[in-house]
Amino acid sequence: MKKLSSLLKFFDLRTSGKWFVLSCLIGIVAGLGAITFDALIQFVEHYSLVSIAGFDDPQTIGEHTIFETEGNEAIFSPWLVLLIITLGGLASGVIVYNFAPEAEGHGTDAAIDAFHTKRGMIPLRVPIVKTIASALTLGTGGSGGREGPIAQIGAGFGSWVASALKLSERDRRILLAAGVGAGIGAIFRAPLAGALFAAEILYSDADFESDVIVPAAMSSIIAYSVYCLSLPADLQFLPLFGNGLHHSVDSHGELIPYTILSIILSLSAAFYVKTFYGTAGLFKKLPIKPMFRPAIGAFLTGLVGIGMYYLYGKDVRALAVLSTGYGFLQDALTSAKSLGIPLLLSIAFVKIFTTSLTIGSGGSGGVFGPSMIIGGCVGTATGLFFQQLWPDLITQPEAFGLVGMAGFFAGAAHAPISTIIMVSEITGNYALLLPTMLASTLCFVLCQKVHLYQKQYPSRLDSPAHRGDFLVDVLEGSRISDVFDPGRKIQLIPESKSLDEIVHSLAGTQQHYFPVIDKDGKMVGIFSEDDVRAYLYDETIWKLALARDIMKPDFAKISPDDDLNTALQRFTAINVEALPVVDQNDPGILLGMLTRKEMIGYYNQQLIKHKRAHVENSN
């Protein structure tokens, strides 16, 4: 760590060189973390679901399977799936609640909360426990995504590096967010989306954490590159869902059904969020130890999955409501007709409940992955429906699935820009930018009261992380004359007044700072109560010392035309509670005193006005 500190000093901590070094380091760790996490999930899945229960969750074209399963899997048994998923939930709960209770649920929200309210601090044990618990949850069939845990791995390491190097709170927050971007960029093989996601996901309004974008872009690129090096050569630059999704927009008339789709997605997102947090609230009320709740949630998730399996005539595809479900989404984006509207809608609807049961009960996993499944299935089903109504207009129902993935998450998570890029990168299809932008923007607007990530703040103005930053902004343009009261009576002390008289006069006043004037009434200095206390124990000089002896002739002063930023800087620089306000043309003429309390009161009033104006503009 000392060598790293020396290297940073060489680059100069005030330049982008610092961020290049630190971002590269975080990117490497996030990339290795993504590789490790992916391998752990596959390890748990292979030696539990595949080898024991005979269930092999299908993957996307771009995913790499480490273990060869052909000929090694057991005979499929849905009841063994139920047993394994329950044991996975139990193991996850025991590990999390005994070693790092902060690692429960979906990790992205925890990283957002750490950014805003915890000075960017994430204990190092949290990402470690999160990795193991999430691998157990997802590897045994729990319904969740991989982005939350890997984002927390990157965020946790970024926080640790900043703390180890004794960087500022601002730098720690930036490195935390850069870690989030690196994790997302690696696990989804979407470096640009990862960088934008890290800056956008922190706020629910249309706001970005601009300081984060460049470091997050650097770390995301490195993490993506490191992760891809672990893949076979033919998969290294292949999008997650392959490069065969060449859907396009053939007519402007298609924007009408895409608009209708946006409304459907917004309603679905609202239902998803309400169900998720409603389920989480019910589990918190259960009168049992928290470590056992994920087991109950996993058991119920398994029961729902088995119910779907038998409902659709033992169709294994119906088990997409378990685990990640990416393989089913791959089919929805490539051959929608083979699935049909009923199965697509069933998977989307039931996935909401299985995810709520798995993660809402305290299980460990992400909520972005399930959002893609839900939005993609709703979109594809909608596309098939519109194709039946307008077969000449809608020729590519799968394109609605791509747009549905983006629109659903944009509405639920309030991250329209990064989601647009994310879907384009993981599908390798940029031809649908127009309808994707339309759906994402509409869903973002329609879902203003929907919050999948509850730790988001509306904007940088509202975030505790920036409370100090906006103090100067709020005071900008305000003058000293707007705040201080020139009519308030102030006790003035003649410079010839003895210390004995000053001591006795202090007993009858609440004033703390005393301007000293000469025989012409001009201010020549100032002293405080503390200055007088220094002489209290030496009565021999009470009658000898005069006001001019204890006053400070070189004192900080302000004029009515100065702005409040100047006053703030002087209050902070010399750490006093009041400053004399003097005439700008004649500094000897005292006009009054400005107290720190007055300025804070004025600041609070202005802050309330700014917030009200911000809310009105947002509406």
Side-chain angles (χ1 to χ4, degrees):
M1 197 57 67
K2 289 183 179 179
K3 292 182 178 180
L4 181 58
S5 297
S6 300
L7 182 61
L8 293 178
K9 289 179 180 178
F10 172 78
F11 276 104
D12 185 350
L13 289 177
R14 294 169 297 176
T15 68
S16 57
K18 171 185 70 173
W19 296 120
F20 177 79
V21 174
L22 294 176
S23 297
C24 287
L25 180 62
I26 291 171
I28 292 172
V29 172
L32 293 174
I35 295 171
T36 304
F37 181 54
D38 195 23
L40 277 175
I41 293 177
Q42 292 196 43
F43 177 85
V44 173
E45 184 176 19
H46 178 75
Y47 288 103
S48 59
L49 288 178
V50 176
S51 299
I52 299 175
F55 173 58
D56 186 11
D57 184 38
Q59 303 298 314
T60 67
I61 292 176
E63 290 184 283
H64 173 54
T65 302
I66 300 175
F67 299 94
E68 294 293 335
T69 58
E70 189 174 348
N72 296 327
E73 64 269 21
I75 298 174
F76 176 69
S77 171
W79 302 109
L80 284 177
V81 171
L82 179 61
L83 175 63
I84 290 170
I85 194 174
T86 303
L87 291 177
L90 177 62
S92 174
V94 170
I95 291 173
V96 166
Y97 287 99
N98 279 288
F99 295 100
E102 309 97 316
E104 71 163 328
H106 51 106
T108 307
D109 221 12
I112 293 173
D113 185 42
F115 180 92
H116 289 300
T117 65
K118 298 179 180 178
R119 299 176 296 131
M121 295 290 292
I122 296 180
L124 191 58
R125 70 179 187 279
V126 172
I128 297 174
V129 171
K130 186 73 175 179
T131 300
I132 298 172
S134 298
L136 289 169
T137 299
L138 302 179
T140 55
S143 178
R146 294 176 294 192
E147 83 294 334
I150 191 61
Q152 206 163 30
I153 291 173
F157 183 73
S159 175
W160 177 80
V161 167
S163 298
L165 293 175
K166 298 181 180 179
L167 300 181
S168 66
E169 291 182 12
R170 173 182 174 273
D171 288 350
R172 187 189 299 120
R173 289 187 174 100
I174 292 175
L175 291 180
L176 179 150
V180 171
I184 296 296
I187 204 70
F188 286 119
R189 281 182 260 168
L192 176 57
L196 295 177
F197 181 87
E200 186 178 30
I201 200 63
L202 300 169
Y203 304 106
S204 58
D205 287 352
D207 203 351
F208 270 85
E209 187 66 37
S210 56
D211 292 343
V212 165
I213 295 178
V214 172
M218 293 179 182
S219 62
S220 183
I221 292 169
I222 299 298
Y224 165 80
S225 302
V226 170
Y227 181 78
C228 287
L229 286 175
S230 70
L231 302 174
D234 59 327
L235 296 179
Q236 288 185 355
F237 297 101
L238 189 69
L240 194 61
F241 287 88
N243 54 14
L245 303 176
H246 300 302
H247 307 304
S248 60
V249 179
D250 299 325
S251 169
H252 283 89
E254 293 182 46
L255 296 180
I256 297 175
Y258 278 122
T259 301
I260 299 174
L261 171 64
S262 303
I263 299 173
I264 297 172
L265 292 171
S266 299
L267 294 174
S268 302
F271 180 71
Y272 175 41
V273 173
K274 188 171 183 178
T275 302
F276 182 86
Y277 285 106
T279 303
L282 290 175
F283 271 101
K284 288 181 179 179
K285 294 179 181 179
L286 290 179
I288 59 173
K289 290 185 176 181
M291 71 173 70
F292 298 122
R293 293 171 187 165
I296 297 174
F299 176 76
L300 296 175
T301 298
L303 279 182
V304 173
I306 292 173
M308 283 285 292
Y309 172 71
Y310 284 109
L311 179 64
Y312 278 91
K314 298 184 178 180
D315 188 346
V316 180
R317 296 179 301 178
L319 291 176
V321 297
L322 304 179
S323 197
T324 61
Y326 288 166
F328 184 85
L329 182 58
Q330 178 81 65
D331 293 337
L333 299 178
T334 53
S335 55
K337 289 183 179 180
S338 66
L339 301 176
I341 294 177
L343 181 58
L344 286 165
L345 290 180
S346 296
I347 294 295
F349 181 75
V350 176
K351 191 72 173 175
I352 291 176
F353 287 98
T354 55
T355 303
S356 299
L357 290 169
T358 300
I359 311 301
S361 63
S364 191
V367 292
F368 178 57
S371 297
M372 288 203 303
I373 310 300
I374 298 165
C377 289
V378 170
T380 304
T382 305
L384 287 172
F385 174 76
F386 283 132
Q387 187 181 43
Q388 295 176 5
L389 290 180
W390 302 305
D392 295 332
L393 178 64
I394 308 300
T395 59
Q396 305 170 74
E398 293 84 0
F400 281 72
L402 293 174
V403 175
M405 291 164 61
F408 184 89
F409 189 72
H414 298 267
I417 306 302
S418 57
T419 304
I420 293 170
I421 304 301
M422 175 78 74
V423 171
S424 297
E425 285 189 291
I426 65 177
T427 61
N429 184 5
Y430 292 86
L432 293 173
L433 279 177
L434 179 62
T436 302
M437 291 175 65
L438 173 66
S440 296
T441 304
L442 285 177
C443 288
F444 173 74
V445 172
L446 293 173
C447 293
Q448 287 300 299
K449 295 184 179 181
V450 176
H451 298 280
L452 180 59
Y453 296 120
Q454 294 195 324
K455 300 301 182 180
Q456 290 175 323
Y457 278 78
S459 66
R460 296 172 74 245
L461 179 64
D462 303 281
S463 171
H466 292 288
R467 193 157 288 161
D469 298 347
F470 285 98
L471 181 63
V472 171
D473 293 336
V474 169
L475 297 180
E476 188 174 3
S478 298
R479 301 294 173 186
I480 302 298
S481 56
D482 298 329
V483 182
F484 94 102
D485 180 11
R488 186 172 63 237
K489 188 176 180 180
I490 300 173
Q491 181 178 349
L492 303 177
I493 305 295
E495 63 177 344
S496 59
K497 192 170 187 176
S498 69
L499 179 59
D500 183 49
E501 294 174 306
I502 293 174
V503 169
H504 288 88
S505 65
L506 289 183
T509 180
Q510 298 296 319
Q511 191 172 317
H512 301 291
Y513 292 86
F514 299 88
V516 179
I517 56 176
D518 60 14
K519 60 181 180 179
D520 298 323
K522 297 292 185 71
M523 183 176 178
V524 293
I526 192 171
F527 64 85
S528 67
E529 289 179 324
D530 292 335
D531 296 324
V532 175
R533 287 195 185 97
Y535 297 92
L536 291 182
Y537 299 100
D538 190 358
E539 297 184 12
T540 58
I541 65 171
W542 280 21
K543 296 186 180 297
L544 299 177
L546 304 177
R548 70 169 71 93
D549 298 320
I550 62 173
M551 74 176 188
K552 294 180 180 178
D554 297 323
F555 56 91
K557 48 187 175 294
I558 48 179
S559 66
D561 291 334
D562 289 336
D563 61 38
L564 289 181
N565 290 341
T566 301
L568 173 63
Q569 292 167 1
R570 292 180 183 172
F571 272 123
T572 305
I574 60 178
N575 193 27
V576 295
E577 296 300 319
L579 287 171
V581 182
V582 299
D583 187 274
Q584 187 170 2
N585 298 320
D586 188 351
I589 300 178
L590 179 68
L591 303 177
M593 297 287 288
L594 174 67
T595 65
R596 189 194 293 260
K597 184 177 180 180
E598 285 177 317
M599 196 179 70
I600 291 175
Y602 181 81
Y603 160 72
N604 289 330
Q605 293 176 359
Q606 295 301 108
L607 184 61
I608 292 173
K609 290 181 181 179
H610 276 69
K611 285 186 175 181
R612 287 176 178 171
H614 180 73
V615 171
E616 291 175 359
N617 292 333
S618 299
N619 295 332

